[in-house]
Amino acid sequence: MKKTKFTERIKNMNIDRKMFIFYLPAIIAVLITISLVLYPKEAFEASINGLAIWWNIVFPALLPFFIFSQVLIGLGVVHFLGVLLEPIMRPLFNVPGSGSFVMAMGLASGFPLGAVLTTKLRKDNLCDKTEAERLLSFVNTADPLFMFGAVAVGMLHQPEAGLTIAAAHYLSSVSLGLIMRFYKSRGTKISGRIAETKKKLQKNIFRQALTALIKAREKDGRPIGKLLGDTVRDSINTLLLIGGFIILFSVIMSILNLIGNTEYLALCISWLLAPLGLDVKLAPALINGFMEIDLGCQVAGTIPHISMEQKI
């Protein structure tokens, strides 16, 4: 009898927990909507700030890379590089050679192009789910223009800090890629993939790469004009989605700052920063950075009386 009552209590607790999780997003959405009504001026200014970041930095920096990366995929160049660079990418990162294209584009153009191209490879069956997860862990990086120009010069007003930021950023990404090569993979499976790559090397790898390019182009089949039109349309749609998220999180952070919630979060985070030797004043920048990295960098640049080493 006691066991039955105890079991019923556990079931009721599980139901209550599920109901709470189910209604929590709706409650948060209602609270944000009410806050927008209470603070219309501040919400509008935050929207303008987010729009300025997107229009002046994100849109012009990413649009050309978005277009030409998808054109290269449609022309079969990525399939060509995938075969050609398989001997390098497989032993180092345990991902297919086509991941080298995503890594190069991610390093050159910055987020979210690495994530977008990884999704494209997955849809085109150029990698499996696990390989896509490994690839995504280290190719979705910031671009040099953002680190040297927007952050070092525009936000921190210290051009010499750009090299330190870029070195830390890229070394961290490559290190994570080397670690993630063991993600969801046993040693025998890794060695098996490497053995397959060595077999390919015994043949003419350049001819195999050309064959892959021709097959990919034939499979795509779109004339160059239609290919360009499709890539421009898809790229602009993706950038509009990105812009919407930047504006949304800019407004949310502005509302949280107004109602004082970030002060409590900053207090909690400050307990984690102090043991690491970081100034507790950096907590607001860290909170904003979790929501949207551009906003976090912007806040870090405006914090007074903190050394440049701490901000970096």
Side-chain angles (χ1 to χ4, degrees):
M1 189 71 179
K2 290 183 179 179
K3 288 185 178 180
T4 305
K5 289 182 178 179
F6 181 71
T7 305
E8 289 179 355
R9 286 182 181 178
I10 293 176
K11 287 182 179 179
N12 291 332
M13 289 175 62
N14 290 333
I15 292 172
D16 293 339
R17 189 177 302 170
K18 288 180 180 179
M19 293 295 289
F20 175 75
I21 295 173
F22 182 80
Y23 286 115
L24 183 61
I27 295 170
I28 294 174
V30 170
L31 292 175
I32 292 174
T33 305
I34 294 172
S35 301
L36 293 176
V37 175
L38 295 175
Y39 305 102
K41 181 176 179 294
E42 291 80 1
F44 178 76
E45 291 175 352
S47 297
I48 294 295
N49 184 41
L51 180 61
I53 292 173
W54 176 74
W55 181 252
N56 294 325
I57 299 174
V58 177
F59 190 88
L62 290 184
L63 182 60
F65 287 99
F66 269 60
I67 293 173
F68 285 107
S69 62
Q70 294 199 45
V71 168
L72 290 174
I73 292 175
L75 293 176
V77 175
V78 177
H79 300 73
F80 174 83
L81 293 174
V83 176
L84 205 61
L85 297 175
E86 178 86 14
I88 298 174
M89 297 300 291
R90 182 61 69 184
L92 288 177
F93 304 110
N94 196 19
V95 296
S98 53
S100 62
F101 171 76
V102 180
M103 184 172 68
M105 294 301 295
L107 294 176
S109 62
F111 36 67
L113 189 59
V116 172
L117 292 180
T118 301
T119 304
K120 182 69 175 175
L121 293 189
R122 180 74 181 99
K123 288 181 179 178
D124 292 345
N125 294 319
L126 293 175
C127 63
D128 58 32
K129 180 176 179 292
T130 302
E131 290 170 340
E133 291 171 348
R134 292 193 199 111
L135 190 60
L136 187 59
S137 68
F138 69 97
V139 299
N140 200 39
T141 61
D143 63 281
L145 179 62
F146 175 75
M147 289 185 284
F148 283 90
V151 179
V153 177
M155 298 177 185
L156 299 178
H157 308 291
Q158 294 285 339
E160 62 274 13
L163 187 60
T164 304
I165 295 171
H169 193 77
Y170 290 141
L171 287 174
S172 299
S173 297
V174 173
S175 300
L176 183 59
L178 294 173
I179 294 171
M180 288 295 288
R181 72 188 296 270
F182 302 104
Y183 170 69
K184 288 187 179 180
S185 181
R186 297 177 181 175
T188 53
K189 191 174 181 180
I190 295 176
S191 59
R193 291 288 179 88
I194 294 176
E196 290 177 9
T197 303
K198 287 182 179 179
K199 286 182 180 179
K200 291 180 181 179
L201 284 173
Q202 295 175 357
K203 303 176 183 178
N204 190 328
I205 192 168
F206 188 76
R207 182 176 295 176
Q208 293 180 60
L210 284 176
T211 303
L213 185 150
I214 294 169
K215 287 182 179 180
R217 184 71 189 112
E218 290 176 347
K219 183 179 179 181
D220 186 276
R222 288 176 293 178
I224 189 66
K226 187 177 188 313
L227 177 62
L228 281 172
D230 291 345
T231 54
V232 170
R233 184 187 63 248
D234 293 342
S235 299
I236 290 178
N237 287 337
T238 303
L239 283 169
L240 287 173
L241 179 64
I242 294 168
F245 277 115
I246 292 175
I247 294 171
L248 173 65
F249 286 119
S250 178
V251 172
I252 290 175
M253 288 309 302
S254 176
I255 296 298
L256 290 176
N257 287 329
L258 285 170
I259 62 180
N261 283 12
T262 53
E263 294 180 3
Y264 297 107
L265 291 174
L267 183 62
C268 296
I269 292 177
S270 63
W271 288 94
L272 300 175
L273 294 177
L276 298 175
L278 297 174
D279 198 304
V280 294
K281 293 179 182 178
L282 291 170
L286 192 61
I287 294 170
N288 281 271
F290 277 132
M291 298 293 286
E292 214 286 315
I293 191 167
D294 299 274
L295 300 175
C297 294
Q298 194 175 44
V299 173
T302 58
I303 299 175
H305 310 301
I306 294 182
S307 65
M308 188 55 57
E309 291 79 10
Q310 293 273 334
K311 293 181 180 180
I312 294 174

